[in-house]
Amino acid sequence: MGNGIFVLGEATAVPRLDELIVRHRPMVAVVNAALRQADDVEFALALAARTLGRTRVVLVSETLDEDLLGRALQSGTGGFVHREALLREIIPAIRQVAAGLTFISSTMITRLRDRFPAVINRVGHRLTPLTRREAEVLALVAAGLSNLQIADKLGIGAGTVRSHLARILAKLSARNRAHAVGIAYESGLLTVGSSHRR
């Protein structure tokens, strides 16, 4: 693929893709959302959940499916790329996800930007240890912002953002940013599809 990214294999069916991942143990697997296992479970989400970050997953979707995005983040999927933006976003997505960050397609962020709710008061018990600022940082991570963008938006330093993220991961027992965002959806801190505006 170039740019320091190497394609280790391609597959059009789950068994072959599973075999390639076991054999090569890639840092990142790019998986079509339509690829399903025999039990009709979405392969990308199942892979993200079972590899626990050893192979991070970039999900490619034909549609701007908010429910799929929520389930992908809950499973630990690191990236969500809309197929229409594939050519311009796949390399940045792979790089960001390989670095342990979350990537959400710009078209999806545009769709959701005005629909992400503010941090709500009644949240799941797993989120109660978060301070208000930590909850704000987590909501901005879910919106796809980088550490620098979060720092700029909140008027704090990038180092402070990193410190908040480290505390968030520790408090939530989250493996990575995507897992923390999944916990936020699962616990009710964030709800995709809300019409509430910040």
Side-chain angles (χ1 to χ4, degrees), residues 54-66:
R54 291 188 299 276
T55 291
R56 304 208 68 213
V57 175
V58 172
L59 181 70
V60 178
S61 176
E62 298 280 351
T63 62
L64 294 173
D65 186 333
E66 297 172 23

PDB file of all heavy atoms in Angstrom, residues 54-66:
ATOM      1  N   ARG A  54      -4.707  -6.911  20.242  1.00  0.00           N
ATOM      2  CA  ARG A  54      -3.502  -7.448  19.587  1.00  0.00           C
ATOM      3  C   ARG A  54      -3.544  -7.156  18.089  1.00  0.00           C
ATOM      4  O   ARG A  54      -2.548  -6.789  17.493  1.00  0.00           O
ATOM      5  CB  ARG A  54      -3.378  -8.945  19.857  1.00  0.00           C
ATOM      6  CG  ARG A  54      -3.064  -9.293  21.312  1.00  0.00           C
ATOM      7  CD  ARG A  54      -2.765 -10.769  21.460  1.00  0.00           C
ATOM      8  NE  ARG A  54      -3.879 -11.608  21.069  1.00  0.00           N
ATOM      9  CZ  ARG A  54      -4.902 -11.935  21.865  1.00  0.00           C
ATOM     10  NH1 ARG A  54      -4.932 -11.469  23.102  1.00  0.00           N
ATOM     11  NH2 ARG A  54      -5.880 -12.714  21.448  1.00  0.00           N
ATOM     12  N   THR A  55      -4.708  -7.358  17.495  1.00  0.00           N
ATOM     13  CA  THR A  55      -4.961  -6.904  16.127  1.00  0.00           C
ATOM     14  C   THR A  55      -6.110  -5.923  16.218  1.00  0.00           C
ATOM     15  O   THR A  55      -7.215  -6.285  16.622  1.00  0.00           O
ATOM     16  CB  THR A  55      -5.350  -8.072  15.194  1.00  0.00           C
ATOM     17  OG1 THR A  55      -4.218  -8.919  15.002  1.00  0.00           O
ATOM     18  CG2 THR A  55      -5.803  -7.552  13.833  1.00  0.00           C
ATOM     19  N   ARG A  56      -5.843  -4.675  15.878  1.00  0.00           N
ATOM     20  CA  ARG A  56      -6.888  -3.662  15.948  1.00  0.00           C
ATOM     21  C   ARG A  56      -7.652  -3.661  14.631  1.00  0.00           C
ATOM     22  O   ARG A  56      -7.124  -4.020  13.586  1.00  0.00           O
ATOM     23  CB  ARG A  56      -6.287  -2.294  16.251  1.00  0.00           C
ATOM     24  CG  ARG A  56      -5.451  -2.315  17.538  1.00  0.00           C
ATOM     25  CD  ARG A  56      -5.421  -0.976  18.208  1.00  0.00           C
ATOM     26  NE  ARG A  56      -6.726  -0.631  18.722  1.00  0.00           N
ATOM     27  CZ  ARG A  56      -7.192   0.625  18.772  1.00  0.00           C
ATOM     28  NH1 ARG A  56      -6.461   1.617  18.315  1.00  0.00           N
ATOM     29  NH2 ARG A  56      -8.382   0.879  19.256  1.00  0.00           N
ATOM     30  N   VAL A  57      -8.915  -3.287  14.692  1.00  0.00           N
ATOM     31  CA  VAL A  57      -9.808  -3.413  13.535  1.00  0.00           C
ATOM     32  C   VAL A  57     -10.264  -2.052  13.029  1.00  0.00           C
ATOM     33  O   VAL A  57     -10.692  -1.197  13.808  1.00  0.00           O
ATOM     34  CB  VAL A  57     -11.043  -4.261  13.901  1.00  0.00           C
ATOM     35  CG1 VAL A  57     -12.046  -4.288  12.746  1.00  0.00           C
ATOM     36  CG2 VAL A  57     -10.616  -5.678  14.265  1.00  0.00           C
ATOM     37  N   VAL A  58     -10.151  -1.873  11.709  1.00  0.00           N
ATOM     38  CA  VAL A  58     -10.767  -0.745  11.028  1.00  0.00           C
ATOM     39  C   VAL A  58     -11.957  -1.310  10.260  1.00  0.00           C
ATOM     40  O   VAL A  58     -11.793  -2.171   9.397  1.00  0.00           O
ATOM     41  CB  VAL A  58      -9.793  -0.040  10.060  1.00  0.00           C
ATOM     42  CG1 VAL A  58     -10.531   1.004   9.226  1.00  0.00           C
ATOM     43  CG2 VAL A  58      -8.659   0.616  10.833  1.00  0.00           C
ATOM     44  N   LEU A  59     -13.128  -0.848  10.593  1.00  0.00           N
ATOM     45  CA  LEU A  59     -14.365  -1.310   9.970  1.00  0.00           C
ATOM     46  C   LEU A  59     -14.702  -0.410   8.791  1.00  0.00           C
ATOM     47  O   LEU A  59     -14.694   0.814   8.915  1.00  0.00           O
ATOM     48  CB  LEU A  59     -15.491  -1.261  11.005  1.00  0.00           C
ATOM     49  CG  LEU A  59     -16.877  -1.719  10.573  1.00  0.00           C
ATOM     50  CD1 LEU A  59     -16.888  -3.231  10.369  1.00  0.00           C
ATOM     51  CD2 LEU A  59     -17.905  -1.334  11.637  1.00  0.00           C
ATOM     52  N   VAL A  60     -14.990  -1.008   7.639  1.00  0.00           N
ATOM     53  CA  VAL A  60     -15.399  -0.253   6.459  1.00  0.00           C
ATOM     54  C   VAL A  60     -16.874  -0.531   6.219  1.00  0.00           C
ATOM     55  O   VAL A  60     -17.282  -1.684   6.063  1.00  0.00           O
ATOM     56  CB  VAL A  60     -14.581  -0.640   5.218  1.00  0.00           C
ATOM     57  CG1 VAL A  60     -15.074   0.127   3.994  1.00  0.00           C
ATOM     58  CG2 VAL A  60     -13.095  -0.359   5.450  1.00  0.00           C
ATOM     59  N   SER A  61     -17.689   0.525   6.213  1.00  0.00           N
ATOM     60  CA  SER A  61     -19.133   0.361   6.085  1.00  0.00           C
ATOM     61  C   SER A  61     -19.658   1.067   4.842  1.00  0.00           C
ATOM     62  O   SER A  61     -19.232   2.176   4.521  1.00  0.00           O
ATOM     63  CB  SER A  61     -19.839   0.919   7.327  1.00  0.00           C
ATOM     64  OG  SER A  61     -21.242   0.864   7.183  1.00  0.00           O
ATOM     65  N   GLU A  62     -20.598   0.421   4.180  1.00  0.00           N
ATOM     66  CA  GLU A  62     -21.246   1.022   3.015  1.00  0.00           C
ATOM     67  C   GLU A  62     -22.178   2.154   3.434  1.00  0.00           C
ATOM     68  O   GLU A  62     -22.482   3.051   2.656  1.00  0.00           O
ATOM     69  CB  GLU A  62     -22.064  -0.035   2.254  1.00  0.00           C
ATOM     70  CG  GLU A  62     -21.262  -1.190   1.700  1.00  0.00           C
ATOM     71  CD  GLU A  62     -20.563  -0.835   0.414  1.00  0.00           C
ATOM     72  OE1 GLU A  62     -20.841   0.249  -0.139  1.00  0.00           O
ATOM     73  OE2 GLU A  62     -19.741  -1.646  -0.051  1.00  0.00           O
ATOM     74  N   THR A  63     -22.660   2.096   4.675  1.00  0.00           N
ATOM     75  CA  THR A  63     -23.673   3.051   5.142  1.00  0.00           C
ATOM     76  C   THR A  63     -23.203   3.801   6.381  1.00  0.00           C
ATOM     77  O   THR A  63     -22.307   3.340   7.099  1.00  0.00           O
ATOM     78  CB  THR A  63     -24.989   2.327   5.481  1.00  0.00           C
ATOM     79  OG1 THR A  63     -24.741   1.403   6.557  1.00  0.00           O
ATOM     80  CG2 THR A  63     -25.516   1.558   4.267  1.00  0.00           C
ATOM     81  N   LEU A  64     -23.825   4.931   6.642  1.00  0.00           N
ATOM     82  CA  LEU A  64     -23.567   5.694   7.860  1.00  0.00           C
ATOM     83  C   LEU A  64     -24.526   5.180   8.931  1.00  0.00           C
ATOM     84  O   LEU A  64     -25.504   5.832   9.298  1.00  0.00           O
ATOM     85  CB  LEU A  64     -23.763   7.193   7.608  1.00  0.00           C
ATOM     86  CG  LEU A  64     -22.769   7.828   6.641  1.00  0.00           C
ATOM     87  CD1 LEU A  64     -23.152   9.269   6.324  1.00  0.00           C
ATOM     88  CD2 LEU A  64     -21.350   7.766   7.203  1.00  0.00           C
ATOM     89  N   ASP A  65     -24.240   3.980   9.414  1.00  0.00           N
ATOM     90  CA  ASP A  65     -25.116   3.271  10.336  1.00  0.00           C
ATOM     91  C   ASP A  65     -24.716   3.610  11.772  1.00  0.00           C
ATOM     92  O   ASP A  65     -23.698   3.134  12.272  1.00  0.00           O
ATOM     93  CB  ASP A  65     -25.005   1.768  10.068  1.00  0.00           C
ATOM     94  CG  ASP A  65     -25.974   0.937  10.879  1.00  0.00           C
ATOM     95  OD1 ASP A  65     -26.378   1.375  11.972  1.00  0.00           O
ATOM     96  OD2 ASP A  65     -26.318  -0.167  10.415  1.00  0.00           O
ATOM     97  N   GLU A  66     -25.517   4.426  12.444  1.00  0.00           N
ATOM     98  CA  GLU A  66     -25.186   4.870  13.800  1.00  0.00           C
ATOM     99  C   GLU A  66     -25.192   3.713  14.789  1.00  0.00           C
ATOM    100  O   GLU A  66     -24.365   3.655  15.697  1.00  0.00           O
ATOM    101  CB  GLU A  66     -26.162   5.955  14.240  1.00  0.00           C
ATOM    102  CG  GLU A  66     -26.086   7.209  13.383  1.00  0.00           C
ATOM    103  CD  GLU A  66     -27.180   8.198  13.705  1.00  0.00           C
ATOM    104  OE1 GLU A  66     -27.725   8.153  14.823  1.00  0.00           O
ATOM    105  OE2 GLU A  66     -27.497   9.022  12.834  1.00  0.00           O
TER     106      GLU A  66
END
